[in-house]
Amino acid sequence: MTHPPGETEGSGSTGPGGDTPGARPLGPADGGRGVVRRGGLSTAEVAERVARGEVNDVPVRSSRSVKEIVRANVLTRFNAIIGVMFGIILVVGPIQDGLFGLVIVANTAIGIVQELRAKKTLDSLALIGEARPQVRRDGRSQQVATAQIVLDDTVLLGIGDKVIVDGRVTEADGLEIDESLLTGEPDPVLKHPGAEVMSGSFVVAGAGAFTATKVGREAYAAQLAEEASRFTLVRSELRSGINSILKFITWLLIPTAIGLVVSQLAVERNDWREAVRRMVAGIVPMVPEGLVLLTSVAFAIGVVRLGRKQCLVQELPAIEGLARVDTVCLDKTGTLTEGGMDVVELRPLADGLPQADGQGRAGSRAAGPAADAADAAHAAHAAHDDVRLADRAVLQTALGVMAGADARPNPSMQAVIDAYGSSAAEADGVWRVLEAMPFSSARKWSGVQLLEPQGGEASWLLGAPDVLLPAGHDALAEVDELGAKGLRVLLLGRTLVPLDAPDPAAGLQPLALVVLQQRLRDDAADTLRYFESQQVEAKVISGDAAVAVGAVAAHLGLPGAEHPLDARRLPTEARALAEAADRTTVFGRVTPQQKRELVGALQARGRTVAMTGDGVNDVLALKDSDIGVAMGSGSEATRAVAQIVLLDDRFATLPSVVAEGRRVIGNIERVANLFLVKTVYSVLLALLVIFTHSPYPFLPRHSTVLSTLTIGVPAFFLALAPNNERARTGFVRRVLRLAVPGGVIAGTATFTAYALARANHSTDLEADTSVATLTLFLVAIWVLAIVARPYNWWRLLLIATMCGAFTLVLTVPWLSDFFQLSLAGVRDAWGAVGIAVVAGIVLEIVWWVINRRTDD
């Protein structure tokens, strides 16, 4: 039988230390489930496992179904109140009194469309994706769907393949697994037969196979996703505040509606339809329906704006939530750093010769061929002074040639290519590669045998200094010093021992240290400075070594990064953990459960926490945080549970999200004053009408034109204006400070003008309504003028335009007929203006008092 690469039975070369990376079966002695069938499961065995339910059933996704989305947006308290009123108007007519019903359609459509768009994107980012792994069954390889993998299946792995389920390695040919999305550790892990592999990791080098030991909901990534899979909405203070107001209004509506119905039927004994219309006109303005709509519009427009910056907002209130956070927890890998590395220094060594005491690496060398080769290499160095350590150009060229010979460079070698690839190109033809040995996690170095410009042959090695240098070598002190700063160090050396010798590193002449660091995102430092300027504390929580994480954070200028904490020393007691989380800025070696506990500890200290991440190890913390932010190139699990996804991985997008959130919060709070003033004066007018047994001053069409010109249209423009005020808590309390007195003043002025007009002409209800409408418009436009401050040209133009539009409604015959508005003489008009001016002066006094108390 012909085997694909990595599957050849008994194949594989013997590596350093006698390891055999080639394939071999895993039996009971290795702790396996039993003797592994070299040909994989048979069709009958697969059928048995399917019948027992031992299949890879993937957990449900986190997004809601279409049915749930529609139901959640249609069946709301707001829609119920306005919908009932709209239904009543459809029965009693005319249709122009039912214009307010259009708000239901608009508000519902915005919510449904936005969530469906997010769901479509989410569904394309499924937890395990649409990968079709290869399995071995009945002695041959075949592709199957992810959900068709069964327990004990032999799953084949090649470069770039994702580990779909948990398992135990049965075959390995230089198999290296990247587990950074699970553990946060950036270095690949060499896997030998018998080693465990976890779902969510992927292959970066070599090939192999593993036996599935945990499938479906028992797999590691699936367990994390299962725990985080329940759909939860971001808490929105704006929405919860509006809902609290609606809840109160709902209870207030019941007695008010009954009172209005009774009073209007008693007043309009001969026209029950007119009584019902005026009852509806009294109830509908109590509901701040435009505020709900405008909040949805503001959020939706913010989502569109952020979408243009490749930022997916999966829940409307998420942009508000991020604007309110005071702590941002960052994962180093994928957030502050990119996937690659950079060469920061090439440091030639002062003494390139081996030590004279004859000590070998990690102790004395055994006598034999390797020692003889070392002695020969030592003696030969004198003949090759032209490649001695002082010549930096030679070192750079050699590094470039070495890196260029690697067909599949790892991140460290890619950094060398980026730094010195041009030097190698210039030396093309002068230096020739005779043989190459790629990097291996087992031997910790890579090498090439070169034909050098002077005609001689030598082996050049690049790898771990503690492996290539003798114990106690002076350069190791430098290596330790650099490592303490979170830098990665490789040793470049040269020897005359050929690469195919038993120990090619024998007699190595150390030439230079290559110092690398993880590649920092260009925008990371600026973004951290932005958060610091906005008094948002950033904390780095990573699975990588604490020293390395602290070095990266310190390089980016994060305050407190000089004191990183290894999470293995974190206390377990809740109060002590909260104190440690509060005072520490950088955490390393953090497990997924500890990330979650740290987020909870910060929340217990009263903080509003945002969490960013890209790996499966971030899923639980993302879910528990107030706002979860995932990188688009990260794991599917993080994208599925996060409220915000940075599709282009640009950390610098977060300030834009904060700015959008502040615009929404500040402007909605501003215009909420307009809507709640209307609610207060509507309740007051209803109560006054009930107690005085008067006809309600308005029909629904009058309420519509007043709401549109003094609230709806102006609020739309005000809500979309720039606003960078800091987000504060206490939304309802702050807006009620103006809304309650403003509504009382507007309602009192309107009813006073209405009562005086009725006293003048008690039989002309249309004229009385016109006086009340004019008075209320003038007082409401005064409230708008207060809320719109500070003025600029477009705000003044907005106020003037609304005044001009109302003038047209009063003066254009077909408009005044449509809205049933007609003023009987000059006296009524000037009376309304006089009352409105007095009310405006009182409003200014109230506003001055409010501002003075706020400043104090």
Side-chain angles (χ1 to χ4, degrees):
M1 180 176 69
T2 302
H3 299 271
E7 294 184 44
T8 307
E9 294 184 17
S11 67
S13 58
T14 301
D19 290 338
T20 303
R24 68 178 178 87
L26 174 66
D30 300 298
R33 292 169 54 88
V35 177
V36 175
R37 299 167 178 82
R38 304 296 296 154
L41 297 176
S42 66
T43 301
E45 289 170 330
V46 171
E48 290 175 5
R49 285 160 174 76
V50 171
R52 292 198 300 263
E54 296 173 342
V55 295
N56 189 41
D57 55 330
V58 180
V60 295
R61 293 172 183 169
S62 64
S63 59
R64 294 191 286 184
S65 66
V66 174
K67 182 179 179 181
E68 289 172 332
I69 290 173
V70 172
R71 182 171 63 240
N73 282 277
V74 172
L75 303 181
T76 65
R77 180 181 289 106
F78 156 73
N79 284 354
I81 297 171
I82 302 299
V84 170
M85 297 298 102
F86 181 66
I88 292 173
I89 290 299
L90 289 180
V91 173
V92 301
I95 193 61
Q96 54 260 46
D97 281 330
L99 295 176
F100 61 87
L102 296 177
V103 177
I104 297 177
V105 179
N107 194 62
T108 302
I110 288 172
I112 291 176
V113 169
Q114 195 278 335
E115 281 203 52
L116 288 178
R117 286 176 59 190
K119 175 180 170 58
K120 182 179 179 181
T121 305
L122 264 182
D123 290 347
S124 67
L125 305 174
L127 177 64
I128 301 299
E130 301 301 325
R132 292 184 63 84
Q134 277 200 334
V135 299
R136 187 187 297 136
R137 292 177 181 174
D138 294 320
R140 60 187 180 85
S141 301
Q142 55 183 284
Q143 277 193 331
V144 297
T146 299
Q148 293 175 339
I149 293 178
V150 300
L151 195 66
D152 297 325
D153 246 334
T154 299
V155 184
L156 309 182
L157 294 175
I159 294 177
D161 288 346
K162 183 181 294 182
V163 179
I164 301 298
V165 295
D166 295 355
R168 186 173 291 111
V169 177
T170 57
E171 306 168 20
D173 184 6
L175 180 64
E176 296 185 18
I177 302 290
D178 187 324
E179 297 179 343
S180 61
L181 295 180
L182 301 175
T183 65
E185 178 63 54
D187 294 327
V189 180
L190 181 68
K191 296 290 185 179
H192 296 290
E196 300 286 339
V197 291
M198 291 188 294
S199 52
S201 57
F202 57 93
V203 180
V204 294
F210 71 92
T211 297
T213 57
K214 292 182 180 180
V215 296
R217 287 168 168 79
E218 292 185 359
Y220 180 73
Q223 285 179 346
L224 291 178
E226 183 81 62
E227 189 167 354
S229 63
R230 295 179 182 84
F231 188 90
T232 57
L233 282 173
V234 177
R235 182 186 177 277
S236 166
E237 185 177 345
L238 290 180
R239 283 190 163 179
S240 61
I242 293 170
N243 285 336
S244 297
I245 294 169
L246 283 175
K247 187 181 296 184
F248 175 76
I249 291 172
T250 302
W251 291 109
L252 188 64
L253 280 176
I254 298 174
T256 305
I258 294 173
L260 275 175
V261 169
V262 172
S263 66
Q264 296 308 295
L265 287 175
V267 173
E268 301 285 350
R269 294 173 181 167
N270 300 323
D271 191 350
W272 69 270
R273 291 179 181 271
E274 182 72 9
V276 170
R277 280 195 294 270
R278 291 187 177 268
M279 179 270 292
V280 171
I283 293 175
V284 169
M286 296 181 193
V287 183
E289 77 283 356
L291 180 57
V292 180
L293 172 60
L294 198 60
T295 302
S296 297
V297 170
F299 278 135
I301 291 176
V303 168
V304 172
R305 286 177 174 175
L306 293 173
R308 292 172 184 159
K309 298 181 180 181
Q310 294 298 297
C311 175
L312 171 65
V313 180
Q314 300 186 148
E315 298 174 31
L316 283 174
I319 54 178
E320 174 199 349
L322 189 57
R324 293 189 186 278
V325 301
D326 52 35
T327 305
V328 177
C329 294
L330 309 168
D331 178 50
K332 176 183 72 69
T333 306
T335 303
L336 300 179
T337 61
E338 295 180 330
M341 304 194 75
D342 290 316
V343 175
V344 294
E345 184 183 0
L346 177 60
R347 183 179 293 187
L349 293 175
D351 180 9
L353 295 177
Q355 292 182 336
D357 60 6
Q359 293 298 307
R361 296 184 304 277
S364 351
R365 293 185 183 278
D372 293 339
D375 293 338
H378 183 88
H381 277 306
H384 294 281
D385 284 346
D386 52 345
V387 292
R388 284 301 296 259
L389 39 103
D391 195 341
R392 184 180 296 270
V394 171
L395 298 177
Q396 293 176 350
T397 302
L399 282 169
V401 172
M402 289 183 69
D406 195 333
R408 292 193 297 267
N410 60 19
S412 298
M413 195 60 81
Q414 185 60 51
V416 174
I417 293 175
D418 294 340
Y420 306 122
S422 59
S423 299
E426 293 171 2
D428 188 26
V430 181
W431 297 70
R432 284 177 50 199
V433 177
L434 302 177
E435 186 180 352
M437 185 175 290
F439 178 82
S440 165
S441 297
R443 58 176 178 266
K444 300 294 185 183
W445 54 263
S446 62
V448 294
Q449 191 164 343
L450 298 176
L451 179 62
E452 296 173 343
Q454 72 279 5
E457 293 183 13
S459 297
W460 291 71
L461 306 184
L462 181 68
D466 57 329
V467 174
L468 295 175
L469 287 175
H473 193 284
D474 293 342
L476 290 177
E478 291 185 67
V479 172
D480 292 339
E481 181 183 345
L482 292 167
K485 299 177 181 178
L487 299 170
R488 181 172 299 182
V489 184
L490 300 176
L491 175 75
L492 174 65
R494 176 180 178 277
T495 179
L496 297 183
V497 179
L499 283 182
D500 56 2
D503 188 1
L508 185 74
Q509 177 191 14
L511 298 178
L513 297 179
V514 182
V515 185
L516 304 101
Q517 70 175 9
Q518 286 189 281
R519 183 171 299 156
L520 304 178
R521 292 186 178 275
D522 295 336
D523 49 22
D526 291 339
T527 305
L528 290 177
R529 281 194 292 270
Y530 170 82
F531 282 125
E532 184 180 1
S533 69
Q534 299 300 315
Q535 298 178 354
V536 176
E537 186 173 357
K539 294 181 180 290
V540 183
I541 303 177
S542 174
D544 205 353
V547 171
V549 181
V552 169
H555 188 79
L556 293 171
L558 183 65
E562 61 275 9
H563 302 295
L565 176 64
D566 191 316
R568 290 172 292 191
R569 300 200 301 269
L570 277 173
T572 55
E573 194 270 326
R575 178 174 294 181
L577 177 63
E579 291 176 355
D582 199 40
R583 68 172 180 265
T584 308
T585 301
V586 177
F587 302 85
R589 295 299 183 202
V590 186
T591 65
Q593 186 60 35
Q594 283 179 316
K595 285 191 177 186
R596 185 183 202 180
E597 291 169 356
L598 284 171
V599 169
L602 290 168
Q603 291 171 327
R605 303 281 286 191
R607 292 176 179 253
T608 304
V609 182
M611 176 74 194
T612 71
D614 67 342
V616 175
N617 59 326
D618 301 318
V619 168
L620 298 181
L622 283 169
K623 190 65 177 178
D624 283 1
S625 64
D626 296 288
I627 294 292
V629 182
M631 297 295 171
S633 64
S635 74
E636 293 87 347
T638 57
R639 297 197 299 260
V641 301
Q643 288 84 29
I644 296 173
V645 180
L646 306 179
L647 297 175
D648 59 357
D649 292 353
R650 291 189 67 246
F651 184 42
T653 306
L654 284 183
S656 298
V657 182
V658 173
E660 279 299 319
R662 290 185 173 180
R663 181 189 60 79
V664 171
I665 293 171
N667 290 338
I668 293 301
E669 185 171 313
R670 180 191 296 268
V671 301
N673 286 294
L674 300 176
F675 289 99
L676 296 184
V677 162
K678 183 189 71 168
T679 297
V680 173
Y681 72 60
S682 298
V683 172
L684 179 60
L685 285 174
L687 294 175
L688 290 172
V689 164
I690 292 171
F691 293 141
T692 59
H693 298 285
S694 305
Y696 192 78
F698 308 115
L699 290 171
R701 68 192 74 176
H702 302 132
S703 299
T704 300
V705 72
L706 286 169
S707 296
T708 300
L709 297 181
T710 64
I711 302 171
V713 173
F716 181 81
F717 288 98
L718 291 175
L720 302 182
N723 192 323
N724 201 36
E725 297 176 9
R726 284 184 56 82
R728 299 172 294 168
T729 57
F731 162 72
V732 174
R733 174 177 52 82
R734 282 196 305 277
V735 297
L736 290 181
R737 285 184 309 184
L738 175 63
V740 172
V744 170
I745 293 169
T748 301
T750 300
F751 195 79
T752 300
Y754 177 59
L756 291 176
R758 291 195 69 221
N760 290 335
H761 31 72
S762 58
T763 59
D764 191 352
L765 187 55
E766 182 174 321
D768 302 340
T769 295
S770 301
V771 171
T773 303
L774 176 59
T775 305
L776 185 53
F777 172 81
L778 293 174
V779 178
I781 210 73
W782 204 306
V783 173
L784 171 62
I786 291 175
V787 169
R789 296 169 186 169
Y791 296 133
N792 54 26
W793 68 268
W794 68 264
R795 289 180 178 176
L796 291 173
L797 178 62
L798 177 65
I799 296 171
T801 302
M802 297 302 101
C803 292
F806 187 74
T807 302
L808 292 177
V809 169
L810 286 178
T811 56
V812 176
W814 69 268
L815 286 175
S816 59
D817 291 342
F818 180 85
F819 288 104
Q820 292 188 11
L821 291 174
S822 62
L823 292 170
V826 178
R827 178 181 172 182
D828 287 344
W830 282 110
V833 171
I835 293 172
V837 169
V838 173
I841 294 173
V842 177
L843 280 172
E844 291 291 349
I845 295 173
V846 169
W847 183 245
W848 178 79
V849 172
I850 291 173
N851 285 335
R852 185 173 182 180
R853 287 182 178 177
T854 302
D855 294 337
D856 292 341

